[in-house]
Amino acid sequence: MPLFKVAIVGAGPAGYFAAQALHNLQNEERTFAIDMIERLPTPWGLVRSGVAPDHPKIKTVSKVFEKIAADPNFRLFANVEIGSDITVAQLQEKYDAVIIATGSSLGKTLGIPGEDLPGSMSAADFVPWYNAHPDFADVQVPLACDTAVVIGAGNVAMDVARMLALEPSELDTTDTAEHAIDALKTSVIRDVYISARRGPEHAAFTSPELRELPKLEHTNVIINKADIDTAIVRAGDAPEKDVKSNLDAMLLIADSQKSEHERTMHFLFQHTPKEILGTDHVEGIVYSTPNGDVTIKCGLVVTAIGYQAAGINGVPYENGKVVNIDGRVKENLYVVGWAKRGPSGVIGTNKSDAAAVMELLVSDLKATKGAGDISELLTSQPVIDQIAWQKINEAEVAAGEPLGKPRLKSVKREEFLKLAGM
Ligand code: NAP
């Protein structure tokens, strides 16, 4: 029976779901040997370094990933970067198919004056900082100011605003990076504004995220009722289900009895960022609004307005995505997930997306190549394989247990190698 060799570049949800889909497409005519290659010492992509630490349920999908990885024909090659030492073209030569599943790691920018000032940063830096991503441990987040502003009306903006507005001891029992918990405990930020450039009826939040806000134990959440009332009128008699659900959730917050906590999260609508103020650091932000310009004094601005894919040599990119038609890139190269369709959808969206691309991949397969695999290309770098990763995983979970955390995350590459016994 032909055994096709497939390399998946990127060990995030899209990569695992592609592996799962290939597994499900095996039959008497074909089986697959899958090599998953990851730049970081750890797999799981955004499930480890993107999902908010106070959303542990979302992370339970990692159990599915580990089940996929337990297949005898699956191998992990973490701590291996594609594009520099090893090229995509080399992989294409050795494997019957190569799948790019590298996501979108770069934050989009506003293109307004002041955006480069210290104190203005992208969620693409802030989120991996609090999630212990090895490349972002040294990000400097100014927390010695009373007000922070988060730009964007999507779930990433919501995660960022919540992380800044939470009472930080609430993070003690989460897998938030220790360096972030320590820093957030020193934070004097008490007001966090989350700003949308359009009205509430256009917000990209999803309603479960809005509905959990009133459950915050130490944070007031303020939505101006008039904003929601006028949005309901604009949305008309038959708004889409998601819009109605969002407006209902926002109305509930606007109508609820005000709490008197020290920390407050404020929602601003129809506020378009115009300029970030300051000379050597952020001192405020100017918005244009239907009622004229509005200035908010603040020391931190986090932009959460979407992502684009970082390039890999040998892969064509356009408009922040890999150039593709339905996931086909060129020759035996394919793409799945955010790198394919842009940064949209929840983790589960990648399952059906990857399954559709794998159907196409399978329909393109011809005779097997049998031309070797990545192990022949690896020279000096220490590779973290599935067994090494399992050691790391178990050590992190064990270290978290006495602290009441799901895991105590390591941050530095050397720490991971040590935990893996390498
Ligand atoms: P998103 O949902 O696309 O939201 C981006 C937001 O940025 C929109 O509100 C957009 O407003 C705004 N924006 C874009 N350009 C702007 C500009 N120049 N100025 C001001 N605002 C601007 O993206 P995301 O929040 O990065 O999330 C990415 C995906 O991950 C989404 O599908 C999200 O649901 C998902 N996610 C899910 C969860 C969860 O399930 N808990 C958590 C995090 C992320 P306009 O609409 O006006 O363009």
Side-chain angles (χ1 to χ4, degrees):
M1 192 194 318
L3 175 73
F4 290 96
K5 286 183 299 176
V6 178
I8 300 178
V9 184
Y16 279 104
F17 286 132
Q20 186 185 50
L22 286 175
H23 185 81
N24 294 341
L25 286 163
Q26 297 187 115
N27 57 23
E28 318 67 56
E29 286 165 31
R30 58 178 175 252
T31 50
F32 294 102
I34 294 169
D35 286 348
M36 182 176 269
I37 304 153
E38 166 61 48
R39 187 174 74 81
L40 293 180
T42 54
W44 302 356
L46 282 185
V47 169
R48 183 175 169 104
S49 62
V51 172
D54 61 337
H55 281 166
K57 260 199 203 150
I58 299 180
K59 299 188 192 215
T60 54
V61 70
S62 58
K63 291 208 177 88
V64 177
F65 301 163
E66 288 306 292
K67 208 168 155 209
I68 295 164
D71 188 276
N73 274 335
F74 177 101
R75 296 190 299 179
L76 176 70
F77 293 83
N79 206 33
V80 175
E81 184 157 9
I82 298 298
S84 47
D85 297 347
I86 301 172
T87 65
V88 170
Q90 284 173 311
L91 291 182
Q92 282 186 266
E93 233 173 78
K94 296 208 172 289
Y95 288 83
D96 296 301
V98 177
I99 301 163
I100 302 295
T102 45
S104 310
S105 57
L106 307 176
K108 285 190 182 152
T109 51
L110 290 163
I112 60 171
E115 201 173 5
D116 295 332
L117 282 169
S120 158
M121 63 174 63
S122 169
D125 293 337
F126 183 69
V127 172
W129 170 72
Y130 65 62
N131 273 329
H133 187 302
D135 296 349
F136 295 86
D138 297 327
V139 167
Q140 293 302 312
V141 184
L143 299 165
C145 51
D146 51 21
T147 304
V149 163
V150 184
I151 297 170
N155 285 334
V156 171
M158 179 87 90
D159 284 347
V160 168
R162 221 178 44 252
M163 287 298 287
L164 286 167
L166 276 171
E167 156 60 51
S169 59
E170 291 181 61
L171 298 173
D172 284 340
T173 52
T174 70
D175 63 5
T176 309
E178 290 299 286
H179 60 243
I181 296 184
D182 291 346
L184 289 166
K185 283 186 175 167
T186 69
S187 169
V188 299
I189 294 172
R190 294 296 176 265
D191 288 284
V192 179
Y193 290 84
I194 178 165
S195 71
R197 62 177 168 179
R198 299 193 282 162
E201 72 278 27
H202 298 294
F205 310 125
T206 48
S207 59
E209 277 59 38
L210 285 162
R211 284 182 202 283
E212 73 178 13
L213 289 179
K215 295 178 201 151
L216 289 176
E217 282 179 33
H218 303 281
T219 311
N220 313 309
V221 182
I222 308 283
I223 295 184
N224 181 354
K225 186 165 169 12
D227 285 341
I228 310 305
D229 288 341
T230 51
I232 289 170
V233 173
R234 285 194 300 267
D237 290 339
E240 278 179 31
K241 198 168 149 248
D242 290 350
V243 173
K244 178 164 178 359
S245 185
N246 266 4
L247 290 173
D248 286 349
M250 288 191 249
L251 192 61
L252 204 72
I253 296 171
D255 274 340
S256 65
Q257 212 182 347
K258 299 296 161 246
S259 46
E260 302 225 343
H261 303 298
E262 214 185 293
R263 295 159 201 271
T264 306
M265 189 168 156
H266 311 257
F267 283 75
L268 300 172
F269 294 100
Q270 295 183 295
H271 276 58
T272 303
K274 191 173 171 185
E275 183 179 357
I276 297 174
L277 303 173
T279 44
D280 55 3
H281 64 276
V282 169
E283 290 173 33
I285 178 164
V286 183
Y287 288 102
S288 44
T289 80
N291 304 318
D293 285 0
V294 168
T295 301
I296 295 179
K297 282 190 184 166
C298 60
L300 170 63
V301 173
V302 185
T303 309
I305 60 168
Y307 293 83
Q308 49 194 12
I312 300 179
N313 282 336
V315 181
Y317 284 85
E318 198 173 62
N319 298 328
K321 291 186 276 188
V322 174
V323 179
N324 74 93
I325 298 173
D326 299 331
R328 285 181 171 120
V329 182
K330 58 176 183 179
E331 299 134 17
N332 61 346
L333 188 63
Y334 299 82
V335 62
V336 292
W338 279 11
K340 167 188 172 241
R341 63 175 196 277
S344 65
V346 293
I347 288 164
T349 313
N350 294 300
K351 192 169 173 172
S352 49
D353 182 272
V357 180
M358 292 311 103
E359 295 261 1
L360 292 182
L361 182 155
V362 165
S363 72
D364 292 345
L365 286 175
K366 298 194 178 73
T368 56
K369 273 192 182 165
D373 62 47
I374 187 176
S375 52
E376 294 154 17
L377 302 172
L378 295 165
T379 46
S380 54
Q381 67 265 59
V383 175
I384 293 180
D385 61 11
Q386 185 62 24
I387 291 175
W389 159 240
Q390 272 163 6
K391 284 187 193 159
I392 295 170
N393 192 13
E394 281 161 20
E396 284 192 339
V397 171
E401 209 174 358
L403 306 168
K405 297 175 187 285
R407 69 176 60 239
L408 184 64
K409 280 179 173 173
S410 292
V411 181
K412 298 215 159 75
R413 278 174 195 265
E414 313 81 74
E415 290 169 10
F416 290 112
L417 295 176
K418 208 168 146 201
L419 291 182
M422 296 165 76

